[in-house]
Amino acid sequence: MDLVAPVVVEPLKRRRCSECRRGPLERMILEFNAPVCLDCADLGHLVFLPRGDTALTRRAREASTLWAVVVRHNRRRTRYERQGLLVEEAALAGAERTCLADAEARARRRARDAERRAVLDAGITAALRAEILRLFPACPADRADEIAAHASAKGSGRVGRTAAGRSLDHGAVTAAVRASVRHVDTPYDTLLMRGCRVTRPGRGSRPPSRRCSGPGAVATGKRAADGSGVSARRSRRAERPLRPGLRRGARRYSRAPPRSSAALPEAA
C-alpha cells in the first residue's frame, strides 16, 4: 500500500503553533486548518534536504523510514512549489556517502547522455534543413541552415521541436519558413513595436493575414504613423458629439419608452 507523505509548509506570514504557542514558525504542518510546529507533530528530528540534487534526494528518501515534503506558496504563480524534503539524518549521511562513491561514474554517464542528445538534435536539424530545401528549392543553403537551427533549438518550444516538426509535416515546415521571412525580410518586428495590431485569421479560406506586414501599412493601418498608438477610428469617434444623457464609453442606444395609449392607433 502506497503511503502519502506528510506535507510541511513554509509559511509566508508569521505563524504560531496552535499547541505550544511557539513562533514564528519556519516550517509547520496544518492539522484541522491549524498550524502545528514540527516538534509537536513528531517531525522535529528530521533534517532539511533542499532540492537540486536528484540522486541525493532519491537515495535519502529511499533510506529514510520517515520523510516529508516541504512546499512554499508562490503568489505570482498561485501554486505551491516543492522546496525539498525532510529526511532522517542517518539516511542523509548514507546517501551522501553513496553519491560521493559513484560521483565519477554518474558524471561520465551524464556526459554520454549529453553527447547522445546532441547527436539527436543535430539529426533533427539536418532533417528539417533537407525538408526546407526540398519544399523551397530557391532557398539559399545558408538560409536553410539558419531557419532549421532556429526552429529546432532545444528548449525553445518552436515548431521544429513539436511532434509535427519532428515528423516533417508540410504545415510545420512551411510555418517555420514563413516565420523566418516575416521576422527577417519584413519590418514586422518594428511595426509591432510601434503598436500595429496583428489580426486573426478570417472565416474565409485565405491564410492568416497580418495587416502590418506589407509596405505602407503604417500609413494605411489602424494605428497612426507617428507612433501615438491612437487608431483613426477611435479618433473619429472622439470627434462625434455625444447624445444628451450619454457619457463617453456608455451604450449608444437605450430602450425606447412604451408608447401611451393615446398614441396608439384606434382599432378598426
Side-chain angles (χ1 to χ4, degrees), residues 131-156:
E131 186 67 14
I132 291 174
L133 292 177
R134 188 185 69 84
L135 295 178
F136 303 92
C139 179
D142 55 349
R143 185 64 182 277
D145 294 338
E146 179 183 352
I147 296 174
H150 180 77
S152 61
K154 182 180 179 180
S156 61

Side-chain angles (χ1 to χ4, degrees), residues 31-103:
E31 293 183 357
F32 302 102
N33 294 330
V36 179
C37 65
L38 299 183
D39 292 334
C40 297
D42 297 332
L43 297 177
H45 63 286
L46 302 180
V47 294
F48 177 66
L49 174 60
R51 63 181 182 180
D53 194 335
T54 306
L56 181 61
T57 300
R58 182 181 65 252
R59 291 172 177 176
R61 183 186 59 198
E62 292 175 354
S64 180
T65 57
L66 178 62
W67 57 278
V69 181
V70 181
V71 297
R72 181 191 301 166
H73 187 261
N74 191 326
R75 293 178 176 176
R76 183 174 61 87
R77 297 183 178 179
T78 63
R79 67 182 185 186
Y80 281 93
E81 295 181 349
R82 191 167 184 164
Q83 303 299 317
L85 295 180
L86 289 177
V87 296
E88 295 177 349
E89 187 174 1
L92 179 58
E96 289 176 348
R97 289 192 300 267
T98 307
C99 291
L100 288 176
D102 61 349

Side-chain angles (χ1 to χ4, degrees), residues 259-268:
R259 293 184 296 177
S260 60
S261 58
L264 295 177
E266 296 180 1

Side-chain angles (χ1 to χ4, degrees), residues 173-225:
V173 178
T174 305
V177 176
R178 186 186 298 118
S180 177
V181 172
R182 181 167 58 248
H183 290 284
V184 176
D185 301 329
T186 65
Y188 177 77
D189 297 335
T190 304
L191 296 175
L192 276 184
M193 294 303 296
R194 290 184 180 181
C196 289
R197 184 174 59 184
V198 179
T199 60
R200 294 179 178 272
R203 296 183 178 180
S205 58
R206 298 180 58 186
S209 61
R210 290 168 171 81
R211 298 182 181 179
C212 299
S213 60
V218 179
T220 61
K222 293 292 183 180
R223 302 286 179 178

Side-chain angles (χ1 to χ4, degrees), residues 113 201 208:
D113 294 342

